[in-house]
Amino acid sequence: MEKYDSRFFVYSDPKMDYMVYELPPTWWSRYYEYEWASKFTGAEDTVLDAGCGICHPFKFHLSDVCKEVHACDLDKRILSPEAIINNILNDCGNKVSKPALLAYCQKIRFNQCSITSLPYEDKKFDKIFCISVLEHMSPQDIKLSLGEFKRTLRDNGLIVLTFDYPTINLEQFKDTVNEVGLNFVGSFTFNMPEDAVTSNLWGKLYCYRTVLKKHQL
C-alpha cells in the first residue's frame, strides 16, 4: 500500500487543518503529517507518541482511536495538565474547550524523558509515532533514538516517522536505519519531487515520511 512508502510529502497528498482543534497556519507540515500518520492507528493498539510536544494534538487523537496511549517529551511541562492546556490556548486560540483538554490529558500516560533513553519495557508498543522530532537531534542521538524505538517495539510493530529536510542527511539516515537493525516497510526514494511541500518560515525546508519495522529473522 502506498501509505507505507518512504518519500517527501507533496501538495497533492491528503491533508487536514483540524485535529481536536484548528491547527495554526505556521504548522506548515503538520497538515500532511497528521493526516498520513493517522492512517496507522488501530483500536487494539498500545502506542507511543515520542517527543510529543506540549501543544501538539496528535497524542490526543491517538487517545480517541487506540486502546492505550503513552506520550513522552523532554519538556517538564508534559507532566502538568495545566501547563499543557495553557500552552495550547496560547498557541491555538481560546476556542478550545478546557474541560475537553483536561479529559484528554487524563486519558494519556505521560512521561518526561529523552527519546534516546525511553523508560518503557522491551516490546511494549504496537506503534511508535515520532512526528517532526529527529531533525532537532544529532546523528548520534538519532541512532540512539531509533535503537530505543526498536527495543520498545513489538516484533510485528511499526515505527512511523516524519522529519524535516535538509536538516537530516537522508543517506546517513538510511545507513543508521540499517545499523540499528530496522527495515523500511515499503519502497523508499530520496528524490525530490517538483511539487514537494515546502516552507521558508525557518529556512527552506521539506518534510519526509517513513515507516520502519524490525528485521525479520
Side-chain angles (χ1 to χ4, degrees), residues 2-217:
E2 196 275 339
K3 73 176 183 179
Y4 295 102
D5 293 342
S6 298
R7 61 171 176 80
F8 287 98
F9 286 101
V10 295
Y11 283 108
S12 57
D13 284 332
K15 63 179 181 177
M16 61 171 63
D17 59 9
Y18 188 96
M19 177 175 273
V20 180
Y21 38 83
E22 187 174 348
L23 306 182
T26 53
W27 293 8
W28 63 279
S29 61
R30 302 279 173 166
Y31 297 175
Y32 299 91
E33 293 168 286
Y34 289 163
E35 176 68 33
W36 171 72
S38 65
K39 296 177 182 178
F40 295 93
T41 58
E44 296 303 312
D45 285 346
T46 296
V47 302
L48 173 66
D49 188 355
C52 62
I54 304 304
C55 63
H56 299 105
F58 192 69
K59 54 188 174 288
F60 303 138
H61 169 73
L62 291 175
S63 74
D64 277 335
V65 296
C66 297
K67 181 176 69 174
E68 183 178 317
V69 178
H70 296 255
C72 66
D73 200 272
L74 194 59
D75 192 322
K76 65 182 180 181
R77 291 178 295 171
I78 200 62
L79 300 179
S80 168
E82 180 180 5
I84 292 172
I85 291 170
N86 287 338
N87 187 240
I88 292 169
L89 294 176
N90 287 337
D91 283 12
C92 303
N94 57 10
K95 296 180 181 179
V96 186
S97 163
K98 285 187 178 181
L101 292 176
L102 180 59
Y104 272 119
C105 289
Q106 292 171 342
K107 292 196 294 181
I108 298 170
R109 304 180 189 191
F110 290 104
N111 255 297
Q112 181 193 4
C113 65
S114 169
I115 63 173
T116 63
S117 182
L118 295 174
Y120 308 106
E121 63 265 30
D122 295 355
K123 300 183 180 182
K124 181 174 182 63
F125 300 112
D126 298 290
K127 312 280 172 55
I128 296 174
F129 299 89
C130 188
I131 308 298
S132 282
V133 177
L134 297 185
E135 65 264 28
H136 303 291
M137 307 178 77
S138 69
Q140 179 59 29
D141 282 347
I142 291 173
K143 184 175 181 178
L144 290 172
S145 299
L146 292 180
E148 282 293 270
F149 294 165
K150 178 188 175 186
R151 179 184 66 79
T152 56
L153 187 70
R154 292 174 181 165
D155 288 340
N156 61 344
L158 297 176
I159 302 167
V160 180
L161 300 173
T162 67
F163 50 80
D164 291 347
Y165 172 87
T167 314
I168 288 183
N169 181 300
L170 293 177
E171 288 292 344
Q172 187 177 52
F173 176 76
K174 182 180 73 171
D175 291 342
T176 301
V177 167
N178 291 330
E179 289 172 15
V180 169
L182 295 169
N183 286 333
F184 294 94
V185 176
S187 66
F188 69 88
T189 178
F190 297 152
N191 293 333
M192 178 70 69
E194 291 184 3
D195 59 341
V197 173
T198 187
S199 171
N200 290 309
L201 287 175
W202 297 279
K204 189 74 169 179
L205 294 176
Y206 303 87
C207 191
Y208 195 83
R209 68 180 216 190
T210 186
V211 186
L212 307 176
K213 64 180 180 180
K214 294 183 179 182
H215 281 322
Q216 300 301 310
L217 300 177

